[in-house]
Amino acid sequence: MDVVINHEQELFVVSAGKGYSTLGFEHVFKQLKQLVARLNLSIQIREDEKGTIGQYADFQRAINEAAKANLKETWFNLDTPVKVRRILEQYRKSGKAIRLFYGDVERGEDWLEENDVVGKIGRSSGTFKIPILLQNGEAWGVSILDHAIVRLMDVADRKVLWEHPKYQAPQLQIVAKRVGEDPYSVFVDGGPHASFRTLAKAAQWVAFMAGECMEAPQ
């Protein structure tokens, strides 16, 4: 097993052909915990073994067992709320478009992510069929950070489907302040965050971030 443990960054560094891949201690621990419960494996999971070669070996064994089991369900992050899982599955099956809002799940703060947040729900292939976001007309997509979702909206009617209990909508303000060649800025919680060539684009961006429209300015 060609694995190096980086204790400082809490990573398993795995040789992958001519390069390397990394897996965080916490990711391995939680995935292992989830797999043991789902597959009823006779593997003991101990918090004090996090970041050890032994736990990484157990993780690899669990992955092999998952491949044999041919799991059919969508594989969500262990920390993803049940309500969020149900909504994502509902929209995957219906084919309806959805808007994702990512943020800090401890404080409920919106990250104001504007890319890869509107589309339809699909699933990846492979052993773990994770949820992915599909753009209109596309058969491929990007993985969804389902554990970091703080708000969900229906695209068609802009209905809020779910919000984090502590969800905090950011305070957005358009200011006539030049940044480079852009004469308009949007301040978030009192500080500059984005700049735009026109007032209309600044207003559209604010509306998009608030979920009042579903198209980001180009």
Side-chain angles (χ1 to χ4, degrees):
M1 186 181 300
D2 194 3
V3 180
V4 175
I5 299 178
N6 184 326
H7 291 286
E8 183 179 354
Q9 294 182 301
E10 297 189 345
L11 293 172
F12 293 105
V13 183
V14 186
S15 177
K18 295 182 180 180
Y20 295 89
S21 62
T22 59
L23 288 170
F25 292 173
E26 190 68 18
H27 172 79
V28 169
F29 176 75
K30 288 184 175 180
Q31 281 281 81
L32 177 59
K33 186 176 180 180
Q34 195 171 0
L35 285 167
V36 167
R38 170 62 179 84
L39 302 172
N40 194 27
L41 301 176
S42 57
I43 297 176
Q44 290 189 340
I45 308 169
R46 292 172 46 179
E47 184 86 28
D48 62 354
E49 291 183 348
K50 188 185 297 184
T52 64
I53 286 293
Q55 190 163 97
Y56 181 82
D58 286 340
F59 172 66
Q60 290 299 317
R61 174 188 162 196
I63 287 179
N64 291 336
E65 292 299 321
K68 294 176 187 176
N70 191 25
L71 300 174
K72 301 295 185 182
E73 70 266 30
T74 304
W75 193 258
F76 293 101
N77 188 285
L78 183 64
D79 295 329
T80 301
V82 172
K83 180 66 173 177
V84 171
R85 300 183 190 204
R86 288 175 178 167
I87 292 172
L88 293 180
E89 277 295 272
Q90 176 189 341
Y91 274 70
R92 180 181 70 83
K93 293 174 181 178
S94 71
K96 295 170 63 178
I98 196 169
R99 169 74 185 276
L100 312 175
F101 295 79
Y102 293 124
D104 186 315
V105 295
E106 294 295 327
R107 298 189 295 271
E109 294 179 357
D110 194 315
W111 286 340
L112 291 175
E113 180 56 60
E114 57 188 289
N115 298 310
D116 299 322
V117 291
V118 177
K120 296 180 179 181
I121 306 298
R123 294 197 311 187
S124 68
S125 57
T127 300
F128 302 107
K129 298 168 180 61
I130 64 171
I132 59 176
L133 190 71
L134 305 171
Q135 301 298 322
N136 288 335
E138 299 288 351
W140 55 273
V142 296
S143 59
I144 293 174
L145 303 176
D146 47 290
H147 65 290
I149 290 173
V150 293
R151 194 185 195 203
L152 291 168
M153 293 183 70
D154 182 275
V155 168
D157 62 14
R158 302 176 192 169
K159 176 184 177 182
V160 176
L161 305 169
W162 178 84
E163 275 187 353
H164 188 284
K166 298 180 181 178
Y167 180 73
Q168 300 177 43
Q171 298 299 310
L172 307 176
Q173 180 184 15
I174 300 174
V175 179
K177 182 176 182 179
R178 182 174 294 277
V179 175
E181 297 182 357
D182 298 333
Y184 297 97
S185 298
V186 175
F187 278 47
V188 177
D189 297 327
H193 184 87
S195 62
F196 300 90
R197 292 287 183 92
T198 67
L199 179 59
K201 286 188 179 296
Q204 185 181 355
W205 187 85
V206 168
F208 180 70
M209 290 296 103
E212 296 170 2
C213 79
M214 295 298 164
E215 292 186 6
Q218 301 298 317

